[in-house]
């Protein structure tokens, strides 16, 4: 029996080997080959040569496959702008630097012509604010050949196809732009992309090509690092200019508030962004944690509501949103349908430290701003850990975080204008030859927008950074005398006496006289002897004379403008500038004392004559007064010290609208300088040693005798406030006096003995 099984096993094995040898080659033959070809190949005992193989191009299966591939290719091509944008653009590959070598200028395409129905393409209020901010700035040019950047006249802010602000047919409109060039050197502003139900971040409805995207709610996978710019999401009522300042009015420590953590907003019952907000009720305790949501929004919320909606709505109605903002230490900023949220800027303004719950969100201006100094991160997946995170933060860090929210809000996020200008400056710093500001400059007051790196090679020369860097202003000062009347120069003239007084100061390094009068320049022999102090006389109308040992003076051609007194003249090499009117009457002790005070406050204006501003309810406007009050907000530059950087800022940063106002009125330049310095420092000027008179009133040609003088200055003040977007001036009750001033002791014991002998 075992032998029989053995024979059967051998027979089966032999049969399998025979099949494998004689018929196994059939496994290599394609099933699509004709049977005749297979048979001939088998008969020949080998595989048919490739030259004799039949063509399969006409095969029905292959035709179907090619048709499918063709349809897929067309679909991909038509939706190319919906695909994830690869980070394949860098400034070196997608930007033409040669357009930016001379100046950093921005061109805006003109509005599109009216259509057949006589209607202009729609432009949202916020996009119009962006265009207005650019057109009224120093960045703007009407010459496209001089432009470094191009901004579309087409509104691209809202690319949600269901929105009323959605602009259609953008691809065809881009194709008609004469300088589009696949988007190179263009910047596209966008707040919303995608629509229901997925709100795809990369769904713009057009191909941005090589254009820089300045976009809100950007994710880490979509941002082209070093090329695109992440901007904040802002609402439709956001101000064009400065707008409201930060809400923190005091620096009390510790910053104890009623609520530790707060949030009030919508929640989504289903769809993208619903997971995080639907779970917030787990953190709400109604005591120190107030996190309330509502599903009462949208047209069909009743049909979509869940079992918790009614209870959530009742709790939601118990709390006022503004009250929560002002009385909470931390404010939760969870993602919504998109990664960004309006809550972010609202929390910054209120000084409520943002706690971010939006994984993969690239925070606004993240390449420059150190958000670790102003915000807290949390993970959406670890929501229940948020209470422990905020409770573990010490009071010292809470205080620092809250202060930084105000710095960032006021310097970069308080208006559309600031957001746009910050975007431009980030792009500008990517240019090869433009100086890069340090992280300290970007993340401390007054911020990068007010720190022009072309002023000096080092930040230590900036007046507001001297103290933080442990430095002091360079010694001595340059006296700049602005001559507008030009009375006859002689030993009894006010100008002659003033020059002689300045030369006796122990701190003066140079005297610069700016001659803006109609009278010709006095001869050299009529000026008082200045011995070792160089005296430069610059005619703002054309001719120039130099006195003393100084270098050749700069000449400014053309009709004199009163703003020329604040030009950054090459002759001014000291940090301190003493600005004087020709008829100022000050003695040497007064000059020296004011200079020593300024050295302790180099970021402020320090001087003698003070004025004040006030709000006039009857006129609904700002008022200006020279009356003696118990406060002041302006120190006139007719006798004041300030840092020379403010000359550079006045000339190269201020809006041209402001300078035009000064030129047309031939007045108010001193008020404008005060607004500028207060805007930079957020501090008032400093008045030194009370004086009831500081001008020589002998001449009747002085503008101070003009009855319309104060009316004109009040008008200037309101114009300046409108252009700044707020009133930068700050009131002060401080006055600096020398030690023992007015004390009933011998004058010999006082350092500045002449101060009490004049003008009392």
């Amino acid at each position: 029996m075992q032998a029989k099984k053995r024979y059967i096993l051998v027979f089966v094995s032999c049969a399998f080997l025979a099949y494998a040898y004689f018929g196994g080659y059939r496994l290599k033959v394609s099933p699509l080959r004709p049977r005749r070809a297979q048979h001939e190949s088998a008969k020949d005992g080998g595989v048919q040569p490739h030259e004799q193989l039949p063509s399969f191009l006409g095969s029905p299966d292959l035709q179907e496959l090619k048709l499918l591939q063709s349809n897929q290719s067309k679909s991909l091509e038509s939706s190319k702008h919906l695909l994830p944008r690869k980070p394949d653009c860098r400034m070196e590959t997608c930007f033409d630097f040669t357009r930016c070598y001379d100046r950093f200028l921005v061109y805006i395409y003109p509005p599109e012509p009216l259509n057949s129905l006589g209607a202009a393409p729609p432009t949202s209020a916020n996009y119009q604010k962006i265009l207005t901010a650019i057109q009224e700035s120093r960045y703007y040019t009407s010459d496209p050949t001089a432009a470094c950047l191009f901004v579309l006249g087409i509104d691209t802010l809202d690319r949600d196809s269901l929105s009323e602000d959605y602009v259609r047919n953008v691809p065809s409109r881009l194709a008609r732009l004469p300088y589009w060039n696949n988007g190179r050197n263009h910047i596209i502003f966008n707040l919303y992309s995608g629509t229901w139900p997925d709100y795809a971040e990369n769904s713009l409805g057009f191909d941005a090509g090589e254009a820089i995207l300045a976009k809100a709610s950007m994710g880490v996978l979509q941002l082209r690092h070093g090329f695109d710019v992440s901007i904040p999401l802002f609402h439709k009522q956001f101000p064009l200019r400065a707008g409201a300042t930060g809400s923190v009015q005091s620096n009390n420590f510790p910053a104890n508030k009623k609520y530790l953590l707060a949030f009030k907003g919508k929640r989504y019952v289903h769809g993208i962004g619903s997971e995080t907000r639907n779970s917030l009720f787990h953190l709400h305790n109604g005591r120190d944690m107030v996190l309330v949501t509502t599903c009462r929004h949208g047209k069909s919320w009743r049909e979509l509501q869940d079992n918790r909606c009614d209870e959530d709505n009742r709790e939601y109605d118990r709390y006022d949103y503004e009250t929560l903002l002002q009385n909470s230490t931390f404010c939760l900023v969870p993602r919504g349908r998109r990664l960004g949220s309006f809550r972010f800027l609202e929390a910054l303004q209120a000084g409520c430290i943002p706690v971010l719950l939006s994984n993969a969100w690239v925070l606004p201006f993240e390449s420059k701003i150190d958000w670790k100094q102003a915000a807290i991160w949390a993970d959406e997946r670890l929501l229940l850990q948020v209470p422990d995170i905020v409770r573990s933060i010490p009071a010292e860090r809470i205080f620092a975080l809250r202060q930084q929210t105000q710095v960032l809000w006021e310097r970069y996020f308080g208006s559309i204008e600031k957001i746009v200008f910050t975007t431009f400056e980030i792009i500008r710093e990517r240019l090869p030859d433009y100086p890069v500001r340090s992280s300290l400059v970007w993340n401390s007051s007054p911020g990068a927008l007010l720190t022009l790196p072309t002023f000096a090679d080092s930040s230590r020369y900036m007046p507001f950074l001297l103290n933080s860097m442990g430095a002091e202003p360079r010694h001595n000062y340059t006296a700049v005398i602005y001559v507008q009347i030009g009375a006859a120069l002689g030993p009894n003239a006010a100008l002659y006496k003033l020059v002689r007084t300045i030369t006796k100061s122990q701190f003066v390094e140079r005297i610069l006289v700016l001659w803006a009068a109609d009278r010709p320049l006095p001869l050299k022999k009529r000026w008082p002897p200045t011995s070792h102090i160089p005296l430069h006389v610059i005619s703002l109308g054309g001719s120039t004379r130099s006195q003393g040992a100084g270098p050749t003076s700069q000449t400014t051609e053309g009709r004199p403008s009163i703003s020329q007194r604040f030009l950054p003249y090459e002759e001014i090499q000291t940090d301190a500038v003493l600005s004087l009117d020709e008829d100022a009457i000050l003695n040497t002790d007064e000059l020296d004392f004011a200079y020593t005070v300024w050295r302790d406050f180099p970021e402020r204006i320090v001087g003698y004559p003070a004025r004040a501003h006030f709000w006039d309810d009857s006129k609904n406007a700002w008022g200006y007064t020279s009356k003696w009050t118990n406060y002041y907000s302006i120190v006139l530059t007719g006798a004041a010290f300030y840092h020379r950087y403010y000359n550079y800022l006045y000339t190269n940063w201020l809006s041209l609208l402001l300078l035009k106002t000064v030129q047309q009125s031939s007045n108010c330049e001193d008020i404008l300088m005060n607004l500028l310095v207060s805007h930079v420092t957020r501090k008032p000027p400093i008045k030194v040693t009370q004086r009831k008179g500081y001008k020589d009133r002998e001449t009747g040609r002085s503008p101070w005798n003009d009855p319309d003088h104060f009316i004109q200055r009040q008008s200037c003040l309101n114009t300046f406030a409108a252009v700044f977007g707020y009133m930068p001036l700050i009131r002060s009750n401080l006055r600096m006096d020398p030690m023992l001033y007015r004390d009933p002791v011998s004058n010999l014991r006082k350092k500045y003995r002449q101060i009490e002998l004049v003008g009392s």
Side-chain angles (χ1 to χ4, degrees):
M1 189 67 180
Q2 292 180 354
K4 185 177 180 179
K5 291 181 179 179
R6 211 176 287 121
Y7 289 133
I8 293 173
L9 181 61
V10 171
F11 175 77
V12 172
S13 300
C14 291
F16 176 76
L17 292 174
Y19 172 78
Y21 179 77
F22 293 105
Y25 70 92
R26 293 177 181 272
L27 299 175
K28 302 177 183 178
V29 180
S30 171
L32 297 177
R33 288 180 61 187
R35 291 184 182 275
R36 182 179 177 183
Q38 294 179 13
H39 174 69
E40 291 176 353
S41 178
K43 186 170 71 172
D44 294 340
V47 180
Q48 186 178 6
H50 70 276
E51 295 87 352
Q52 302 177 13
L53 291 174
S55 173
F56 296 103
L57 294 178
S59 168
D61 296 332
L62 188 58
Q63 290 293 333
E64 183 178 353
L65 177 62
K66 291 182 65 178
L67 181 61
L68 177 62
Q69 291 176 341
S70 176
N71 291 338
Q72 289 177 343
S73 177
K74 292 180 181 178
S75 175
L76 293 176
E77 185 66 26
S78 63
S79 61
K80 186 177 181 181
H81 57 276
L82 298 178
L83 294 177
R85 301 174 64 257
K86 297 179 181 179
D88 53 356
C89 258
R90 303 189 307 275
M91 295 295 289
E92 296 80 5
T93 60
C94 297
F95 196 88
D96 184 2
F97 291 120
T98 61
R99 300 191 66 98
C100 311
Y101 285 154
D102 294 332
R103 296 179 64 189
F104 188 85
L105 298 175
V106 181
Y107 174 77
I108 299 177
Y109 285 98
E112 290 187 332
L114 302 180
N115 57 27
S116 58
L117 300 177
T123 301
S124 64
N126 274 345
Y127 198 71
Q128 186 57 55
K129 291 176 185 176
I130 291 176
L131 300 183
T132 301
I134 299 172
Q135 289 169 339
E136 295 181 355
S137 74
R138 288 178 173 266
Y139 297 104
Y140 178 69
T141 178
S142 58
D143 181 8
T145 62
C148 170
L149 277 180
F150 293 81
V151 173
L152 303 180
I154 306 167
D155 186 352
T156 56
L157 281 188
D158 194 340
R159 301 307 298 157
D160 185 341
S161 58
L162 300 179
S163 170
E164 61 181 10
D165 292 328
Y166 181 79
V167 177
R168 305 188 182 280
N169 304 320
V170 172
S172 61
R173 292 178 175 180
L174 292 178
R176 294 195 295 266
L177 298 180
Y179 308 101
W180 174 243
N181 192 22
N182 195 32
R184 179 164 291 222
N185 285 61
H186 285 63
I187 181 169
I188 293 174
F189 291 93
N190 175 255
L191 296 182
Y192 312 99
S193 59
T195 187
W196 173 267
D198 56 353
Y199 294 92
E201 180 187 338
N202 52 355
S203 177
L204 293 175
F206 62 92
D207 183 6
E210 297 178 349
I212 297 172
L213 281 184
K215 188 178 184 304
S217 303
M218 265 195 169
V220 292
L221 297 180
Q222 299 300 326
L223 177 78
R224 294 174 291 184
H225 292 277
F227 192 75
D228 293 330
V229 180
S230 177
I231 64 174
L233 187 65
F234 49 87
H235 52 70
K236 292 184 178 181
Q237 292 75 38
F238 211 65
L240 167 61
R241 295 191 177 88
T245 57
S247 300
V248 176
Q249 301 297 329
S250 63
N251 281 325
N252 295 331
F253 179 85
N256 294 325
K257 294 193 175 184
K258 183 176 181 180
Y259 305 111
L260 180 63
L261 179 66
F263 173 78
K264 182 179 181 180
K266 300 176 183 177
R267 73 175 176 90
Y268 310 103
V269 178
H270 61 85
I272 187 170
S274 60
E275 299 86 354
T276 301
R277 296 197 179 196
N278 281 345
S279 303
L280 295 183
F281 75 98
H282 292 294
L283 307 183
H284 175 70
N285 60 20
R287 298 185 301 276
D288 63 338
M289 299 272 182
V290 175
L291 299 105
V292 290
T293 59
T294 180
C295 54
R296 191 174 54 229
H297 57 89
K299 296 180 181 179
S300 54
W301 72 272
R302 281 290 184 188
E303 290 77 10
L304 300 174
Q305 66 177 336
D306 56 19
N307 296 331
R308 234 182 48 249
C309 272
D310 290 337
E311 180 183 351
D312 284 352
N313 292 340
R314 286 192 297 271
E315 194 71 6
Y316 180 89
D317 293 337
R318 289 182 53 199
Y319 297 93
D320 177 70
Y321 179 60
E322 290 297 328
T323 302
L324 282 178
L325 276 178
Q326 301 299 329
N327 291 278
S328 300
T329 303
F330 296 93
C331 285
L332 200 67
V333 183
R335 65 161 296 161
R337 293 299 194 193
R338 299 173 179 87
L339 293 175
S341 170
F342 294 128
R343 300 292 181 270
F344 183 67
L345 288 189
E346 292 167 352
L348 278 184
Q349 181 183 3
C352 189
I353 302 164
V355 179
L356 307 173
L357 272 178
S358 184
N359 294 0
W361 180 28
V362 179
L363 292 185
F365 310 139
E366 51 80 31
S367 62
K368 297 298 181 181
I369 294 179
D370 183 6
W371 284 108
K372 295 190 296 295
Q373 299 182 28
I376 302 296
W377 275 263
D379 195 319
E380 292 180 65
R381 300 163 298 182
L382 304 174
L383 177 65
L384 298 181
Q385 293 185 1
V386 171
D388 292 334
I389 292 174
V390 296
R391 286 193 172 101
S392 66
I393 300 175
E396 293 82 1
R397 191 180 178 210
I398 289 175
F399 186 70
L401 288 167
R402 189 179 66 160
Q403 285 186 319
Q404 189 65 5
T405 62
Q406 301 301 279
V407 171
L408 297 179
W409 166 262
E410 293 186 357
R411 300 308 181 181
Y412 305 116
F413 298 105
S415 67
I416 291 178
E417 182 183 68
K418 291 177 182 177
I419 293 172
V420 172
F421 291 176
T422 304
T423 302
F424 287 164
E425 287 303 311
I426 289 175
I427 297 173
R428 194 178 196 174
E429 285 198 359
R430 296 171 182 170
L431 302 180
D433 298 328
Y434 194 77
V436 177
R437 304 169 183 86
S438 66
S439 178
L440 173 65
V441 170
W442 276 96
N443 292 280
S444 59
S445 192
L449 298 185
L450 290 166
T451 306
L452 305 186
T454 51
F455 169 71
D457 296 334
S458 173
S459 298
R460 72 167 299 277
Y461 297 117
M462 301 296 178
F464 35 77
L465 293 177
L466 288 172
N467 293 332
S468 61
M469 301 184 72
E472 292 183 352
R474 288 172 289 187
H475 287 283
N476 299 337
Y477 64 84
T478 300
V480 179
I481 306 173
Y482 185 73
V483 179
Q484 193 173 14
I485 302 171
L489 192 62
N492 295 323
L495 176 59
Y496 189 97
K497 295 177 181 178
L498 181 61
V499 172
R500 191 170 55 187
T501 297
I502 297 172
T503 58
K504 297 177 182 178
S505 171
Q506 58 179 315
F507 301 113
V508 65
E509 182 169 299
R510 185 171 304 186
I511 301 174
L512 183 62
V513 178
L514 305 178
W515 192 271
D518 295 332
R519 294 186 180 185
L521 283 173
L523 297 175
K524 180 179 179 179
K525 62 182 181 180
R526 291 192 171 274
W527 292 93
T530 57
S531 62
H532 62 288
I533 306 298
L535 172 64
H536 301 269
V537 183
I538 299 178
S539 174
L540 300 183
S543 60
T544 299
R545 282 202 180 95
S546 295
Q547 310 284 340
T552 303
S553 298
Q554 173 182 326
T555 301
T556 304
E557 301 290 348
R559 178 178 177 270
S561 167
I562 200 168
S563 287
Q564 288 179 303
R565 72 181 302 169
F566 296 135
L567 286 176
Y569 293 99
E570 294 179 357
E571 287 80 4
I572 302 176
Q573 297 296 319
T574 59
D575 286 343
V577 176
L578 170 60
S579 177
L580 293 165
D581 287 339
E582 61 189 301
D583 50 356
I585 48 173
L586 298 170
N587 59 45
T588 305
D589 276 0
E590 289 174 313
L591 298 180
D592 289 351
F593 173 67
Y595 173 71
T596 58
V597 173
W598 176 86
R599 285 188 58 83
D600 290 329
F601 304 93
E603 76 280 12
R604 304 202 210 182
I605 296 177
V606 176
Y608 288 93
R611 300 290 184 265
H613 78 290
F614 62 94
W615 179 255
D616 190 341
D617 286 323
S618 62
K619 298 179 180 179
N620 196 32
W622 292 105
Y624 173 88
T625 180
S626 62
K627 294 180 180 179
W628 288 67
T629 62
N630 60 351
Y631 71 91
Y632 63 93
S633 55
I634 297 171
V635 167
L636 301 183
T637 54
F641 284 91
Y642 62 87
H643 197 284
R644 71 187 180 101
Y645 175 68
Y646 295 122
N647 278 352
Y648 191 83
L649 208 60
Y650 185 101
T651 304
N652 296 286
W653 181 85
L654 277 177
S655 168
L656 296 177
L657 293 174
L658 296 170
L659 298 180
K660 185 177 180 180
T661 301
V662 170
Q663 183 171 3
Q664 290 177 343
S665 64
S666 293
N667 196 348
C668 310
E669 84 291 350
D670 49 356
I671 298 178
L672 182 55
M673 177 60 86
N674 273 265
L675 265 76
L676 172 63
V677 176
S678 293
H679 175 69
V680 171
T681 63
R682 294 291 196 270
K683 298 174 182 177
I686 295 177
K687 176 176 173 54
V688 290
T689 310
Q690 189 82 11
R691 286 182 52 78
K692 294 183 180 180
Y694 80 101
K695 280 181 172 289
D696 189 338
R697 304 295 183 183
E698 293 178 1
T699 175
R701 297 181 57 195
S702 173
W704 294 86
N705 298 327
D706 186 351
D708 295 330
H709 179 75
F710 282 94
I711 297 176
Q712 192 177 53
R713 291 171 75 81
Q714 184 165 295
S715 175
C716 288
L717 187 63
N718 284 277
T719 301
F720 296 159
V723 176
F724 273 97
Y726 78 115
M727 174 51 74
L729 296 178
I730 300 173
R731 293 182 178 183
S732 176
N733 306 102
L734 174 68
R735 191 186 78 196
M736 293 287 188
D737 294 339
M739 290 290 291
L740 302 179
Y741 178 71
R742 299 287 189 185
D743 283 359
V745 297
S746 171
N747 201 43
L748 298 176
R749 307 179 69 179
K750 301 178 182 181
K751 181 176 182 180
Y752 302 101
R753 301 173 184 174
Q754 298 181 33
I755 291 181
E756 296 182 35
L757 301 180
V758 179
S760 57

